[in-house]
Amino acid sequence: MPRIAFLGPHATFTEQALRSLPEAAGAELVPCAGSPAVLTAVRRGDVDTGCVPIENSVEGAVPAVLDGLVEDPPLVIVGEAVLAVRFALLARPGVRQADVRTVASHPHGIAQTREWIAANLPGAEVLTSTSTSEAAAQVARGQLDAAVAAPLAGAQHGLEILVDDIADNRGAITRFALLSRPGRPPASSGADRTTLVATVQNRPGALVAVLSELTMRGIDLTRIESRPIKDRHAEYWFHMDCTGHVAEPAMGEALAALHRRCDKVRFLGSYPRAANGPVGGDGAIAPDGPAAADFAAAAEWLAGLRAGTRS
C-alpha cells in the first residue's frame, strides 16, 4: 500500500486537497506536523510521496516549501491539486464570540482572515499554528479559545462553528503539490506545468537572459519569485512555473539552455496541471513563437549539417 505524507493533523485543507488526487485512492495517508516534516519524510523514504501547500492566490507562495525544495537530496513535483478555501471561526461548545481572547490558525489562514479578525475580534490575541487543523486541536484541548480553520476540522475535533465563511477574499484558492523522490516524470498530458529553480550571476541582464530563453521558444512563464540563498548575501534562487512538459521540444531546449546559462538550475518536475487551477495562459505555443513541428524540423536540419547531408 502506498504511503502519502501530508501537512497534518487530519482535517486540514491539505488532506482535503490530497483526497481529490487519484494517488490517494487506496493509499495510507500519514499526517506530519508541518510542511518541512512532510519533505523530510519523503526524502528519508518513510513515505512514497508527500502533499504540501505551495501557493495561495492571496498570500503567494509558501516560503518553507520553496526553501525546502532547493535542499538535498532533491525532490520533484509529480502532481498538483487546487482547493477553494473556506474558513470558519471554531470554538468549544458553549463559548461565545464575545468570550474569545485567543485565536489561532496557520499563518496563511491568519493572513486570509486578518481584516475579519480585526473587525470582529478586536481584543483577541492572534497566534499561529503549524496547520489550521492543529489550531482546532489546540482549541479542543483547551489551549486556545478559538481557531480559524475548515468546518471539517470543527467536526473532527468536536467544535462548533461560531461564524462561517469569514475569509476576507471569498475567491481565494490554494495550490498543493504532490512530491516524490526523483524519477521519470509523468507522461505529457497536453496540459502540463514545469517547475524549476535557478541561480544566476549577480550582473546586469543575467535574469533577462534567462527569461529570454523561455520567451524565444514561446514558453509561458506563469510564476516567478525569488528566495534568498541562505549562506550567500544578496544572491537568490529564482522559482519559476511554466506551461509545458520536459518531453516537449520547446521545453527541453529551454531547460538545456538554462543549464548552460545559470550557475545552478534544478528541475522540479513536469506534471499535469490541476483542471480547476490557474493556468496563467492557455498553455499553447505563443502566436509569435515556434510550433513543435518547427523544433523537429530544426533538429533534423542540424543533424543533416553534422552528417554532411544538408546545407
Side-chain angles (χ1 to χ4, degrees):
M1 178 186 296
R3 304 183 79 232
I4 307 177
F6 68 93
L7 171 61
H10 288 290
T12 59
F13 289 113
T14 305
E15 183 181 15
Q16 292 181 54
L18 173 57
R19 289 186 180 277
S20 73
L21 292 171
E23 289 84 355
E28 178 187 357
L29 306 188
V30 182
C32 293
S35 293
V38 175
L39 273 60
T40 297
V42 179
R43 285 190 165 105
R44 289 194 311 216
D46 297 339
V47 295
D48 299 287
T49 54
C51 187
V52 291
I54 193 170
E55 181 186 15
N56 176 266
S57 61
V58 175
E59 277 297 288
V62 180
V65 173
L66 295 194
D67 293 343
L69 287 174
V70 301
E71 295 175 359
D72 291 312
L75 294 174
V76 293
I77 303 173
V78 295
E80 70 172 18
V82 169
L83 185 71
V85 292
R86 174 185 158 212
F87 293 104
L89 183 69
L90 307 174
R92 294 181 300 280
V95 173
R96 302 170 303 165
Q97 184 174 330
D99 301 327
V100 174
R101 294 292 177 265
T102 54
V103 59
S105 187
H106 184 273
H108 274 219
I110 294 296
Q112 293 178 71
T113 57
R114 185 178 292 116
E115 294 180 10
W116 188 94
I117 292 173
N120 295 275
L121 299 172
E125 181 183 6
V126 181
L127 304 170
T128 59
S129 297
T130 56
S131 70
T132 54
S133 187
E134 174 57 25
Q138 289 177 286
V139 173
R141 294 193 295 263
Q143 297 170 312
L144 299 166
D145 294 328
V148 172
L152 180 62
Q156 176 81 19
H157 296 288
L159 305 179
E160 292 183 348
I161 296 177
L162 294 183
V163 188
D164 197 6
D165 202 10
I166 64 173
D168 298 332
N169 186 327
R170 301 290 176 84
I173 61 172
T174 298
R175 184 162 68 99
F176 299 81
L178 186 66
L179 305 168
S180 76
R181 295 176 294 280
R184 184 182 294 274
S188 174
S189 68
D192 301 289
R193 193 186 312 278
T194 290
T195 299
L196 59 110
V197 61
T199 64
V200 296
Q201 294 182 6
N202 190 1
R203 56 181 176 78
L207 181 58
V208 172
V210 167
L211 300 182
S212 70
E213 298 291 356
L214 304 176
T215 301
M216 71 175 63
R217 293 173 176 86
I219 293 173
D220 187 10
L221 179 68
T222 59
R223 180 181 68 90
I224 181 171
E225 59 189 280
S226 61
R227 291 291 299 164
I229 300 176
K230 301 305 182 185
D231 57 351
R232 289 156 61 179
H233 176 64
E235 295 189 46
Y236 299 87
W237 288 106
F238 292 97
H239 292 258
M240 292 174 270
D241 285 339
C242 312
T243 54
H245 193 280
V246 64
E248 297 166 354
M251 184 62 72
E253 274 196 13
L255 289 172
L258 295 185
H259 190 272
R260 294 191 301 269
R261 281 191 179 274
C262 298
D263 284 350
K264 292 182 181 179
V265 62
R266 177 173 287 186
F267 172 71
L268 293 180
S270 289
Y271 48 94
R273 296 195 309 263
N276 59 337
V279 176
D282 61 7
I285 295 294
D288 57 348
D294 297 326
F295 286 96
E300 181 183 358
W301 176 74
L302 179 59
L305 293 181
R306 289 169 172 167
T309 59
R310 299 288 295 271
S311 60

